PDB file of all heavy atoms in Angstrom:
ATOM      1  N   SER A 146      36.317 -54.111  42.185  1.00 92.00           N
ATOM      2  CA  SER A 146      36.825 -53.819  43.558  1.00 92.00           C
ATOM      3  C   SER A 146      36.303 -54.821  44.575  1.00 92.00           C
ATOM      4  O   SER A 146      37.022 -55.279  45.459  1.00 92.00           O
ATOM      5  CB  SER A 146      36.490 -52.401  43.934  1.00 92.00           C
ATOM      6  OG  SER A 146      35.093 -52.210  44.073  1.00 92.00           O
ATOM      7  N   PHE A 147      35.011 -55.212  44.429  1.00 93.00           N
ATOM      8  CA  PHE A 147      34.476 -56.228  45.340  1.00 93.00           C
ATOM      9  C   PHE A 147      35.171 -57.579  45.125  1.00 93.00           C
ATOM     10  O   PHE A 147      35.457 -58.305  46.081  1.00 93.00           O
ATOM     11  CB  PHE A 147      32.966 -56.380  45.155  1.00 93.00           C
ATOM     12  CG  PHE A 147      32.133 -55.377  45.871  1.00 93.00           C
ATOM     13  CD1 PHE A 147      31.027 -54.803  45.255  1.00 93.00           C
ATOM     14  CD2 PHE A 147      32.463 -54.949  47.155  1.00 93.00           C
ATOM     15  CE1 PHE A 147      30.262 -53.865  45.946  1.00 93.00           C
ATOM     16  CE2 PHE A 147      31.703 -54.013  47.813  1.00 93.00           C
ATOM     17  CZ  PHE A 147      30.612 -53.443  47.218  1.00 93.00           C
ATOM     18  N   GLY A 148      35.429 -57.909  43.869  1.00 94.00           N
ATOM     19  CA  GLY A 148      36.143 -59.169  43.603  1.00 94.00           C
ATOM     20  C   GLY A 148      37.520 -59.171  44.163  1.00 94.00           C
ATOM     21  O   GLY A 148      37.974 -60.171  44.718  1.00 94.00           O
ATOM     22  N   LEU A 149      38.225 -58.063  44.048  1.00 95.00           N
ATOM     23  CA  LEU A 149      39.574 -57.962  44.571  1.00 95.00           C
ATOM     24  C   LEU A 149      39.565 -58.054  46.117  1.00 95.00           C
ATOM     25  O   LEU A 149      40.385 -58.777  46.724  1.00 95.00           O
ATOM     26  CB  LEU A 149      40.213 -56.630  44.148  1.00 95.00           C
ATOM     27  CG  LEU A 149      41.675 -56.438  44.559  1.00 95.00           C
ATOM     28  CD1 LEU A 149      42.540 -57.519  43.955  1.00 95.00           C
ATOM     29  CD2 LEU A 149      42.110 -55.081  44.077  1.00 95.00           C
ATOM     30  N   MET A 150      38.581 -57.405  46.750  1.00 95.00           N
ATOM     31  CA  MET A 150      38.491 -57.489  48.191  1.00 95.00           C
ATOM     32  C   MET A 150      38.144 -58.921  48.644  1.00 95.00           C
ATOM     33  O   MET A 150      38.636 -59.384  49.658  1.00 95.00           O
ATOM     34  CB  MET A 150      37.457 -56.485  48.717  1.00 95.00           C
ATOM     35  CG  MET A 150      37.953 -55.063  48.650  1.00 95.00           C
ATOM     36  SD  MET A 150      36.961 -53.774  49.478  1.00 95.00           S
ATOM     37  CE  MET A 150      35.276 -54.374  49.402  1.00 95.00           C
ATOM     38  N   ALA A 151      37.320 -59.603  47.863  1.00 96.00           N
ATOM     39  CA  ALA A 151      36.959 -60.973  48.204  1.00 96.00           C
ATOM     40  C   ALA A 151      38.155 -61.887  48.102  1.00 96.00           C
ATOM     41  O   ALA A 151      38.371 -62.742  48.978  1.00 96.00           O
ATOM     42  CB  ALA A 151      35.867 -61.478  47.258  1.00 96.00           C
ATOM     43  N   LEU A 152      39.008 -61.707  47.092  1.00 95.00           N
ATOM     44  CA  LEU A 152      40.228 -62.520  46.960  1.00 95.00           C
ATOM     45  C   LEU A 152      41.167 -62.276  48.119  1.00 95.00           C
ATOM     46  O   LEU A 152      41.743 -63.228  48.680  1.00 95.00           O
ATOM     47  CB  LEU A 152      40.933 -62.211  45.638  1.00 95.00           C
ATOM     48  CG  LEU A 152      40.340 -62.817  44.372  1.00 95.00           C
ATOM     49  CD1 LEU A 152      41.063 -62.323  43.152  1.00 95.00           C
ATOM     50  CD2 LEU A 152      40.378 -64.321  44.469  1.00 95.00           C
ATOM     51  N   ILE A 153      41.344 -61.031  48.503  1.00 96.00           N
ATOM     52  CA  ILE A 153      42.186 -60.722  49.631  1.00 96.00           C
ATOM     53  C   ILE A 153      41.603 -61.324  50.914  1.00 96.00           C
ATOM     54  O   ILE A 153      42.358 -61.874  51.738  1.00 96.00           O
ATOM     55  CB  ILE A 153      42.391 -59.207  49.780  1.00 96.00           C
ATOM     56  CG1 ILE A 153      43.236 -58.680  48.582  1.00 96.00           C
ATOM     57  CG2 ILE A 153      43.047 -58.828  51.090  1.00 96.00           C
ATOM     58  CD1 ILE A 153      43.276 -57.170  48.497  1.00 96.00           C
ATOM     59  N   GLY A 154      40.305 -61.260  51.089  1.00 95.00           N
ATOM     60  CA  GLY A 154      39.670 -61.792  52.283  1.00 95.00           C
ATOM     61  C   GLY A 154      39.809 -63.329  52.362  1.00 95.00           C
ATOM     62  O   GLY A 154      40.072 -63.860  53.409  1.00 95.00           O
ATOM     63  N   VAL A 155      39.632 -63.997  51.222  1.00 95.00           N
ATOM     64  CA  VAL A 155      39.783 -65.450  51.195  1.00 95.00           C
ATOM     65  C   VAL A 155      41.242 -65.841  51.563  1.00 95.00           C
ATOM     66  O   VAL A 155      41.476 -66.778  52.348  1.00 95.00           O
ATOM     67  CB  VAL A 155      39.375 -66.041  49.833  1.00 95.00           C
ATOM     68  CG1 VAL A 155      39.809 -67.467  49.689  1.00 95.00           C
ATOM     69  CG2 VAL A 155      37.866 -65.946  49.693  1.00 95.00           C
ATOM     70  N   GLY A 156      42.189 -65.118  51.017  1.00 95.00           N
ATOM     71  CA  GLY A 156      43.597 -65.392  51.313  1.00 95.00           C
ATOM     72  C   GLY A 156      43.911 -65.184  52.773  1.00 95.00           C
ATOM     73  O   GLY A 156      44.631 -65.977  53.405  1.00 95.00           O
ATOM     74  N   LEU A 157      43.330 -64.143  53.353  1.00 95.00           N
ATOM     75  CA  LEU A 157      43.575 -63.861  54.791  1.00 95.00           C
ATOM     76  C   LEU A 157      42.941 -64.945  55.654  1.00 95.00           C
ATOM     77  O   LEU A 157      43.549 -65.415  56.620  1.00 95.00           O
ATOM     78  CB  LEU A 157      42.994 -62.491  55.120  1.00 95.00           C
ATOM     79  CG  LEU A 157      43.223 -61.993  56.535  1.00 95.00           C
ATOM     80  CD1 LEU A 157      44.690 -61.799  56.807  1.00 95.00           C
ATOM     81  CD2 LEU A 157      42.447 -60.709  56.759  1.00 95.00           C
ATOM     82  N   LEU A 158      41.744 -65.367  55.330  1.00 96.00           N
ATOM     83  CA  LEU A 158      41.102 -66.447  56.090  1.00 96.00           C
ATOM     84  C   LEU A 158      41.850 -67.740  55.970  1.00 96.00           C
ATOM     85  O   LEU A 158      41.971 -68.492  56.978  1.00 96.00           O
ATOM     86  CB  LEU A 158      39.643 -66.642  55.615  1.00 96.00           C
ATOM     87  CG  LEU A 158      38.672 -65.525  56.024  1.00 96.00           C
ATOM     88  CD1 LEU A 158      37.294 -65.766  55.422  1.00 96.00           C
ATOM     89  CD2 LEU A 158      38.563 -65.427  57.525  1.00 96.00           C
ATOM     90  N   GLN A 159      42.386 -68.067  54.812  1.00 96.00           N
ATOM     91  CA  GLN A 159      43.179 -69.280  54.680  1.00 96.00           C
ATOM     92  C   GLN A 159      44.470 -69.210  55.516  1.00 96.00           C
ATOM     93  O   GLN A 159      44.886 -70.214  56.094  1.00 96.00           O
ATOM     94  CB  GLN A 159      43.510 -69.528  53.217  1.00 96.00           C
ATOM     95  CG  GLN A 159      42.343 -70.055  52.420  1.00 96.00           C
ATOM     96  CD  GLN A 159      42.708 -70.312  50.976  1.00 96.00           C
ATOM     97  OE1 GLN A 159      43.695 -69.811  50.464  1.00 96.00           O
ATOM     98  NE2 GLN A 159      41.870 -71.082  50.312  1.00 96.00           N
ATOM     99  N   ALA A 160      45.085 -68.026  55.561  1.00 95.00           N
ATOM    100  CA  ALA A 160      46.296 -67.883  56.363  1.00 95.00           C
ATOM    101  C   ALA A 160      45.984 -68.064  57.833  1.00 95.00           C
ATOM    102  O   ALA A 160      46.750 -68.708  58.586  1.00 95.00           O
ATOM    103  CB  ALA A 160      46.905 -66.497  56.113  1.00 95.00           C
ATOM    104  N   ILE A 161      44.884 -67.512  58.289  1.00 96.00           N
ATOM    105  CA  ILE A 161      44.465 -67.649  59.709  1.00 96.00           C
ATOM    106  C   ILE A 161      44.170 -69.114  60.035  1.00 96.00           C
ATOM    107  O   ILE A 161      44.593 -69.634  61.060  1.00 96.00           O
ATOM    108  CB  ILE A 161      43.298 -66.740  60.028  1.00 96.00           C
ATOM    109  CG1 ILE A 161      43.725 -65.290  60.000  1.00 96.00           C
ATOM    110  CG2 ILE A 161      42.662 -67.071  61.383  1.00 96.00           C
ATOM    111  CD1 ILE A 161      42.542 -64.308  60.050  1.00 96.00           C
ATOM    112  N   ASP A 162      43.494 -69.831  59.132  1.00 95.00           N
ATOM    113  CA  ASP A 162      43.167 -71.243  59.350  1.00 95.00           C
ATOM    114  C   ASP A 162      44.448 -72.075  59.362  1.00 95.00           C
ATOM    115  O   ASP A 162      44.570 -72.931  60.238  1.00 95.00           O
ATOM    116  CB  ASP A 162      42.278 -71.701  58.203  1.00 95.00           C
ATOM    117  CG  ASP A 162      41.874 -73.180  58.381  1.00 95.00           C
ATOM    118  OD1 ASP A 162      41.341 -73.539  59.463  1.00 95.00           O
ATOM    119  OD2 ASP A 162      42.142 -73.968  57.451  1.00 95.00           O
ATOM    120  N   THR A 163      45.345 -71.837  58.467  1.00 95.00           N
ATOM    121  CA  THR A 163      46.642 -72.577  58.467  1.00 95.00           C
ATOM    122  C   THR A 163      47.413 -72.334  59.750  1.00 95.00           C
ATOM    123  O   THR A 163      47.995 -73.275  60.333  1.00 95.00           O
ATOM    124  CB  THR A 163      47.477 -72.167  57.246  1.00 95.00           C
ATOM    125  OG1 THR A 163      46.704 -72.423  56.055  1.00 95.00           O
ATOM    126  CG2 THR A 163      48.788 -72.898  57.194  1.00 95.00           C
ATOM    127  N   ASN A 164      47.428 -71.106  60.208  1.00 95.00           N
ATOM    128  CA  ASN A 164      48.136 -70.794  61.444  1.00 95.00           C
ATOM    129  C   ASN A 164      47.490 -71.536  62.648  1.00 95.00           C
ATOM    130  O   ASN A 164      48.197 -72.042  63.508  1.00 95.00           O
ATOM    131  CB  ASN A 164      48.113 -69.281  61.687  1.00 95.00           C
ATOM    132  CG  ASN A 164      48.958 -68.851  62.834  1.00 95.00           C
ATOM    133  OD1 ASN A 164      49.815 -69.587  63.319  1.00 95.00           O
ATOM    134  ND2 ASN A 164      48.711 -67.662  63.344  1.00 95.00           N
ATOM    135  N   ALA A 165      46.170 -71.550  62.684  1.00 95.00           N
ATOM    136  CA  ALA A 165      45.483 -72.234  63.800  1.00 95.00           C
ATOM    137  C   ALA A 165      45.763 -73.726  63.772  1.00 95.00           C
ATOM    138  O   ALA A 165      45.953 -74.332  64.822  1.00 95.00           O
ATOM    139  CB  ALA A 165      43.982 -71.958  63.720  1.00 95.00           C
ATOM    140  N   ARG A 166      45.753 -74.337  62.601  1.00 95.00           N
ATOM    141  CA  ARG A 166      46.043 -75.768  62.493  1.00 95.00           C
ATOM    142  C   ARG A 166      47.467 -76.072  62.917  1.00 95.00           C
ATOM    143  O   ARG A 166      47.723 -77.034  63.634  1.00 95.00           O
ATOM    144  CB  ARG A 166      45.780 -76.251  61.075  1.00 95.00           C
ATOM    145  CG  ARG A 166      44.326 -76.336  60.712  1.00 95.00           C
ATOM    146  CD  ARG A 166      44.162 -76.731  59.249  1.00 95.00           C
ATOM    147  NE  ARG A 166      42.822 -76.537  58.789  1.00 95.00           N
ATOM    148  CZ  ARG A 166      42.035 -77.566  58.440  1.00 95.00           C
ATOM    149  NH1 ARG A 166      42.451 -78.777  58.526  1.00 95.00           N
ATOM    150  NH2 ARG A 166      40.811 -77.294  58.036  1.00 95.00           N
ATOM    151  N   ALA A 167      48.404 -75.238  62.456  1.00 95.00           N
ATOM    152  CA  ALA A 167      49.812 -75.478  62.810  1.00 95.00           C
ATOM    153  C   ALA A 167      50.032 -75.320  64.316  1.00 95.00           C
ATOM    154  O   ALA A 167      50.767 -76.096  64.921  1.00 95.00           O
ATOM    155  CB  ALA A 167      50.694 -74.493  62.056  1.00 95.00           C
ATOM    156  N   SER A 168      49.382 -74.360  64.908  1.00 95.00           N
ATOM    157  CA  SER A 168      49.510 -74.153  66.361  1.00 95.00           C
ATOM    158  C   SER A 168      48.932 -75.393  67.114  1.00 95.00           C
ATOM    159  O   SER A 168      49.492 -75.818  68.095  1.00 95.00           O
ATOM    160  CB  SER A 168      48.717 -72.900  66.742  1.00 95.00           C
ATOM    161  OG  SER A 168      48.774 -72.702  68.151  1.00 95.00           O
ATOM    162  N   GLY A 169      47.805 -75.940  66.621  1.00 91.00           N
ATOM    163  CA  GLY A 169      47.251 -77.126  67.258  1.00 91.00           C
ATOM    164  C   GLY A 169      48.185 -78.345  67.159  1.00 91.00           C
ATOM    165  O   GLY A 169      48.328 -79.112  68.106  1.00 91.00           O
ATOM    166  N   ILE A 170      48.827 -78.504  65.993  1.00 93.00           N
ATOM    167  CA  ILE A 170      49.752 -79.612  65.825  1.00 93.00           C
ATOM    168  C   ILE A 170      50.990 -79.455  66.731  1.00 93.00           C
ATOM    169  O   ILE A 170      51.436 -80.413  67.351  1.00 93.00           O
ATOM    170  CB  ILE A 170      50.145 -79.723  64.344  1.00 93.00           C
ATOM    171  CG1 ILE A 170      48.960 -80.191  63.526  1.00 93.00           C
ATOM    172  CG2 ILE A 170      51.337 -80.671  64.145  1.00 93.00           C
ATOM    173  CD1 ILE A 170      49.178 -80.122  62.037  1.00 93.00           C
ATOM    174  N   VAL A 171      51.480 -78.250  66.844  1.00 94.00           N
ATOM    175  CA  VAL A 171      52.614 -77.999  67.732  1.00 94.00           C
ATOM    176  C   VAL A 171      52.232 -78.282  69.162  1.00 94.00           C
ATOM    177  O   VAL A 171      52.996 -78.946  69.901  1.00 94.00           O
ATOM    178  CB  VAL A 171      53.132 -76.524  67.588  1.00 94.00           C
ATOM    179  CG1 VAL A 171      54.102 -76.170  68.701  1.00 94.00           C
ATOM    180  CG2 VAL A 171      53.830 -76.372  66.222  1.00 94.00           C
ATOM    181  N   ASP A 172      51.080 -77.832  69.605  1.00 93.00           N
ATOM    182  CA  ASP A 172      50.604 -78.150  70.990  1.00 93.00           C
ATOM    183  C   ASP A 172      50.502 -79.664  71.209  1.00 93.00           C
ATOM    184  O   ASP A 172      50.895 -80.148  72.263  1.00 93.00           O
ATOM    185  CB  ASP A 172      49.258 -77.491  71.246  1.00 93.00           C
ATOM    186  CG  ASP A 172      49.346 -75.982  71.420  1.00 93.00           C
ATOM    187  OD1 ASP A 172      50.486 -75.481  71.617  1.00 93.00           O
ATOM    188  OD2 ASP A 172      48.323 -75.321  71.332  1.00 93.00           O
ATOM    189  N   GLN A 173      49.992 -80.361  70.211  1.00 93.00           N
ATOM    190  CA  GLN A 173      49.845 -81.814  70.302  1.00 93.00           C
ATOM    191  C   GLN A 173      51.203 -82.463  70.497  1.00 93.00           C
ATOM    192  O   GLN A 173      51.390 -83.363  71.338  1.00 93.00           O
ATOM    193  CB  GLN A 173      49.138 -82.328  69.041  1.00 93.00           C
ATOM    194  CG  GLN A 173      48.893 -83.770  68.987  1.00 93.00           C
ATOM    195  CD  GLN A 173      48.280 -84.220  67.671  1.00 93.00           C
ATOM    196  OE1 GLN A 173      48.733 -83.740  66.624  1.00 93.00           O
ATOM    197  NE2 GLN A 173      47.290 -85.024  67.694  1.00 93.00           N
ATOM    198  N   HIS A 174      52.174 -82.074  69.717  1.00 94.00           N
ATOM    199  CA  HIS A 174      53.526 -82.658  69.787  1.00 94.00           C
ATOM    200  C   HIS A 174      54.224 -82.297  71.096  1.00 94.00           C
ATOM    201  O   HIS A 174      54.954 -83.161  71.644  1.00 94.00           O
ATOM    202  CB  HIS A 174      54.381 -82.252  68.566  1.00 94.00           C
ATOM    203  CG  HIS A 174      54.044 -83.006  67.349  1.00 94.00           C
ATOM    204  ND1 HIS A 174      54.612 -84.238  67.047  1.00 94.00           N
ATOM    205  CD2 HIS A 174      53.162 -82.795  66.318  1.00 94.00           C
ATOM    206  CE1 HIS A 174      54.105 -84.707  65.914  1.00 94.00           C
ATOM    207  NE2 HIS A 174      53.239 -83.826  65.450  1.00 94.00           N
TER     208      HIS A 174
END
């Protein structure tokens, strides 16, 4: 259960990071 929660947490953090980077690129353009 801890391993499954860790995988979900890593996926969520990657999604948030990707969204923040995309938002920065859009602002730049």
Side-chain angles (χ1 to χ4, degrees):
S146 64
F147 279 140
L149 185 59
M150 288 189 331
L152 283 174
I153 292 171
V155 167
L157 184 64
L158 287 176
Q159 285 180 341
I161 291 171
D162 180 56
T163 301
N164 187 19
R166 289 176 192 247
S168 177
I170 290 171
V171 167
D172 287 345
Q173 181 184 45
H174 282 274

